[in-house]
């Protein structure tokens, strides 16, 4: 006489839960910057040789993002400003090297076209 076997569970073995929990955030979503990221970024901008133009532009973008965040109840505008300015600061040495090399930049692409226009 054979012994009846128990039906297999949907997720394998004797477990009834899925082994790999799903994340509520897609994998391609960028991680948000640290709370002090804007202050650190502003300190880096003040130390840069372009501080006289970059600091007022950053402060204007930051104020606009804070206002947008207050109205939308979302920190996305603030995170976007930090990401954009980090990218600008990180790419500055490459831009300087390009310009110092005497290369023709007449066919260049405006940074606002790549990163999005500041509104």
């Amino acid at each position: 006489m054979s012994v009846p076997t128990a039906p297999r569970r949907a997720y394998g073995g004797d477990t009834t839960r899925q082994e790999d929990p799903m994340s509520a955030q897609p994998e391609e979503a960028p991680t948000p910057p640290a709370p002090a990221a804007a202050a650190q970024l502003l300190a880096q901008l003040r130390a840069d040789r372009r501080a006289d133009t970059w600091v007022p532009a950053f402060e204007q973008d930051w104020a606009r993002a804070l206002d947008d965040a207050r109205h939308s109840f979302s920190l996305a505008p603030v995170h976007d400003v930090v990401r954009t300015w980090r990218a600008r600061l990180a790419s500055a040495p490459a831009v300087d090297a390009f310009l110092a090399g005497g290369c023709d930049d007449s066919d260049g692409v405006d940074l606002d076209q790549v990163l999005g226009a500041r509104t």
Side-chain angles (χ1 to χ4, degrees):
M1 171 153 95
S2 66
V3 177
T5 59
R8 288 195 59 127
R9 303 288 180 150
Y11 296 111
D14 292 330
T15 61
T16 58
R17 64 177 179 79
Q18 186 176 4
E19 297 298 325
D20 296 324
M22 294 179 65
S23 172
Q25 196 172 32
E27 290 181 21
E28 65 274 0
T31 58
Q40 294 167 349
L41 186 58
L42 186 57
Q44 291 174 342
L45 290 172
R46 287 184 175 143
D48 194 270
R49 66 176 181 83
R50 301 167 191 84
D52 56 334
T53 56
W54 279 15
V55 170
F58 172 78
E59 289 172 343
Q60 179 183 9
D61 287 353
W62 184 252
R64 188 176 299 123
L66 285 176
D67 189 49
D68 290 347
R70 281 186 200 104
H71 293 292
S72 67
F73 299 104
S74 170
L75 292 176
V78 173
H79 294 172
D80 289 342
V81 168
V82 170
R83 269 191 226 98
T84 300
W85 280 95
R86 277 183 178 166
R88 285 183 180 142
L89 196 58
S91 64
V95 171
D96 290 341
F98 177 80
L99 294 175
C103 297
D104 178 24
D105 65 342
S106 61
D107 63 342
V109 177
D110 187 13
L111 185 61
D112 286 339
Q113 290 178 340
V114 176
L115 297 177
R118 298 182 305 171
T119 56

